[in-house]
Amino acid sequence: MTRAPRFDRSTAGDRPGAVGRRGVLRAGMLLPLAGAAAACSGSTEPEAPDPLIALAAQARSDVAAANGVAAAHPDLADAARLVAGVRQQHATALQQEVDRLHPPSTSATPPPAATSTAPPAAAQVGTSAARTALATALATAEQQASNLVPTLPRYRAGLVGSVAAGCAALREVLS
Amino acid sequence: MPTTTTGGSRELPEETVDALQKALGTEHAAVWVYGLASAFLPAAAQPALTEGATAHRARRDATERLLRDAGATPAASAPAYLPPNPVTDAASAAAMLVSAENDTSVAWRGVLERSDDQDVRRAAVDALTASAVRAVSWRQRAGQSPAVVAFPGRP
């Protein structure tokens, strides 16, 4: 895709006289390519956000919530720490995949951790409610991930499928 | 091994058919392994054993249908399978079930990475997820820690 602009200039009419009917035809054929290149550079229209950004944010949010539960509920600490550890790995892998396609240097600062409110909330509820809240968050994450799987590119389908499966497995530990 | 997709109602590329055949092979093995494990596990584990065996049989049958729809001949099961380690008691039987679930997880993630068909993808992520969930209780029973791997199916 990065090759397009080189052809774009020379065929689209910068060299007058060289543009006969055939030249116009060629320019017309190359236009979609030039448009695609512009979209890639992000300079014209905003791209649809990478769907993995939301999955990574949910994973970070689950890490914060699980750490809060681990601190507030000794009975749940082992399971909550396991949730935090696994979801941290999910957040890292998903963010790496986001950054691979959209290097962070060209975009703005990474989104902040979504939930600074989760740990205090966890301290105020009972153990059973905290367990339910964590399980619900994991069910949401699993659903988010598995809903994306059918339409993602192949490599991402594997990664996101494993994230969904990991969330379901974590829920089993909490049950 | 059949690799063409002619004559079926669903067109699948060769690499998808191959990945599904591999997944079917791990489902055949899982069905067999659940049968062997039941002799070594206590009564308390029998409901989970029945549930797992039933799920693997259903997945095996569904995968065979998918392959036939694609015009391929489903791979047959082997007469017997060799457990990765000797099975002598409840813990080693549970460990054998963990590795059977790991094998199916890896195969189904392999299907995700080698398919574009949305129905195949849905079946694969369902199978991967169900397998990862079953593996948790067998790891606990086998005394393996942690009971959850972060990326089930990642080889």
Side-chain angles (χ1 to χ4, degrees):
Chain A
M1 281 190 278
T2 52
R3 288 186 314 231
R6 199 155 51 90
F7 299 108
D8 169 34
R9 285 268 157 66
S10 59
T11 52
D14 275 8
R15 274 187 264 160
V19 190
R21 214 160 44 154
R22 191 180 290 172
V24 169
L25 264 178
R26 269 169 41 213
M29 282 160 55
L30 286 167
L31 268 178
L33 246 185
C40 279
S41 70
S43 57
T44 50
E45 289 177 26
E47 296 174 68
D50 187 329
L52 268 55
I53 290 173
L55 297 190
Q58 174 75 40
R60 284 191 294 270
S61 153
D62 290 351
V63 172
N67 280 331
V69 170
H73 301 281
D75 291 353
L76 267 182
D78 285 350
R81 271 194 292 268
L82 182 58
V83 172
V86 166
R87 292 297 278 155
Q88 181 58 58
Q89 291 185 63
H90 290 174
T92 303
L94 290 164
Q95 192 61 49
Q96 269 172 5
E97 176 59 16
V98 169
D99 294 345
R100 188 177 69 84
L101 288 199
H102 311 273
S105 56
T106 62
S107 66
T109 49
T115 56
S116 45
T117 52
Q124 289 158 14
V125 300
T127 300
S128 160
R131 184 197 305 272
T132 305
L134 261 192
T136 304
L138 289 167
T140 304
E142 180 201 337
Q143 211 54 55
Q144 264 186 337
S146 79
N147 286 347
L148 274 180
V149 164
T151 53
L152 291 171
R154 289 180 174 192
Y155 170 74
R156 287 183 153 206
L159 171 65
V160 173
S162 283
V163 167
C167 290
L170 286 174
R171 231 156 21 109
E172 185 73 4
V173 171
L174 286 172
S175 68
Chain B
M1 184 178 284
T3 49
T4 59
T5 62
T6 50
S9 57
R10 183 187 296 277
E11 279 198 26
L12 295 177
E14 185 181 325
E15 71 267 22
T16 303
V17 170
D18 289 349
L20 282 169
Q21 295 280 21
K22 280 205 184 85
L24 174 59
T26 64
E27 294 295 343
H28 281 312
V31 168
W32 189 87
V33 155
Y34 268 79
L36 174 62
S38 67
F40 294 92
L41 285 162
Q46 295 305 319
L49 275 170
T50 304
E51 196 189 318
T54 304
H56 282 296
R57 274 195 294 270
R59 188 63 63 186
R60 174 199 65 191
D61 295 348
T63 309
E64 287 177 343
R65 280 196 298 275
L66 201 49
L67 283 162
R68 282 197 200 95
D69 283 353
T73 306
S77 66
Y81 293 84
L82 186 67
N85 292 296
V87 177
T88 54
D89 55 12
S92 54
M96 173 178 67
L97 292 169
V98 172
S99 54
E101 297 294 359
N102 285 345
D103 289 348
T104 56
S105 295
V106 169
W108 284 112
R109 174 161 165 162
V111 172
L112 287 180
E113 291 175 336
R114 290 169 186 80
S115 64
D116 302 306
D117 183 286
Q118 297 206 0
D119 293 334
V120 171
R121 289 267 189 98
R122 277 190 205 96
V125 74
D126 285 353
L128 169 56
T129 300
S131 203
V133 168
R134 283 189 296 270
V136 171
S137 62
W138 299 129
R139 279 197 204 94
Q140 287 167 334
R141 203 170 273 279
Q144 296 177 6
S145 181
V148 174
V149 296
F151 299 95
R154 191 164 72 179

